[in-house]
Amino acid sequence: MTLAVGQEELLLDRAVQEVVAAAKASDADTDVRDLTPDQLQPGTLAELTSPSLFAERKVVVVRNAQDLSADTVKDVKAYLAAPAEEITLVLLHAGGAKGKGLLDAARKAGAREVACPKMTKPADRLAFVRGEFRAAGRSATPEACQALVDAVGSDLRELASAVSQLVADVEGTIDEAIVGRYYTGRAEASSFTVADRAVEGRAAEALEALRWSLATGVAPVLITSALAQGVRAIGKLQSARGGRPGDLARELGMPPWKIDRVRQQMRGWTPDGVAVALRAVAEADAGVKGGSDDPEYALEKAVVTIARAARSRGRA
């Protein structure tokens, strides 16, 4: 018996696929029944799990087990008390209060439990991407993993698909530049890539990302906005009281993962450097909104100024 608990559809599907694959590896003729609550009427489970003359092996998958009718829940609990040797039962349960009695009964019966929680935090999605690369036997730099999450977003299926594509197309270690070539055509991701490289003092990489962004149609105003957010975040963290990321997150209105990132980026910054960078952003913003004959040059100038300001302490 396997109990998959959570609301992340990709992980739930994978839990089912893993059980089915193992069953078919043992017996290629294994019969798989994948059922929703409306298909599992009272008496259906008893029929599916009754002894077969030919000892036929089956995998019975019950989705959304929290939505089963009261009578069907009784059937499942009865089966849990006396499971059949040739049957593999897989229960998928959302994990909330609804249907908790069945959840507790499955756990008490010793079902193998697979956690499938909804991944709402960026740090969880980052860990997921790292795990995908490891599972594929491939190496990806931390910066590449973060860039992929930034570019693709929160959908786990899209993230898994992106990892699969990179693994299939690229040999050797996957780095941030490779992810950029594949995915930074997305406006939000590419503009923040420019900002990240600039506030980290990596002028050449920031300029490369800037030119890529502009070439792929990113609006200059999105880039100045990202630059402003990056510099302001450093200024906020500089002036904040020390503390744990969670405490600072509440104080500054940033998620904890961003606190950790900005802490890494702010090395080398001084208050004077932040002031210089903010002026550069303001000038670039005016330039891209009609104040300059060459908006691209205005952006390049701002990126170089910010990157230099990021290293102001080292030159002092």
Side-chain angles (χ1 to χ4, degrees), residues 173-210:
T173 299
I174 295 165
D175 60 20
E176 187 177 11
I178 291 170
V179 174
R181 287 202 297 272
Y182 275 77
Y183 294 105
T184 53
R186 302 189 182 206
E188 183 180 1
S190 53
S191 60
F192 282 108
T193 299
V194 176
D196 285 341
R197 298 298 83 79
V199 299
E200 290 162 4
R202 297 153 66 178
E205 294 174 45
L207 287 171
E208 181 182 358
L210 172 63

Side-chain angles (χ1 to χ4, degrees), residues 275-298:
V276 168
L278 287 174
R279 283 196 296 272
V281 172
E283 291 173 5
D285 189 55
V288 302
K289 291 178 179 176
S292 171
D293 293 332
D294 190 347
E296 292 187 14
Y297 173 73

Side-chain angles (χ1 to χ4, degrees), residues 55-91:
E56 181 184 33
R57 299 196 64 85
K58 289 181 183 176
V59 174
V60 178
V61 179
V62 179
R63 296 184 181 271
N64 298 314
Q66 72 279 357
D67 295 331
L68 292 173
S69 68
D71 288 338
T72 303
V73 167
K74 291 178 182 178
D75 288 349
V76 177
K77 288 182 176 180
Y79 175 79
L80 292 173
E85 182 68 27
E86 67 275 12
I87 305 296
T88 300
L89 179 65
V90 185
L91 295 177

Side-chain angles (χ1 to χ4, degrees), residues 4-12 66 93-96 116-119:
V5 183
Q7 299 179 44
E8 190 60 68
E9 292 296 331
L10 175 64
L11 300 183
L12 291 167
Q66 72 279 357
H93 194 291
C116 305
K118 196 74 176 175
M119 294 192 181

Side-chain angles (χ1 to χ4, degrees), residues 10-28:
L10 175 64
L11 300 183
L12 291 167
D13 285 346
R14 285 186 172 181
V16 172
Q17 291 164 8
E18 180 182 307
V19 172
V20 171
K24 286 189 173 291
S26 177
D27 182 351

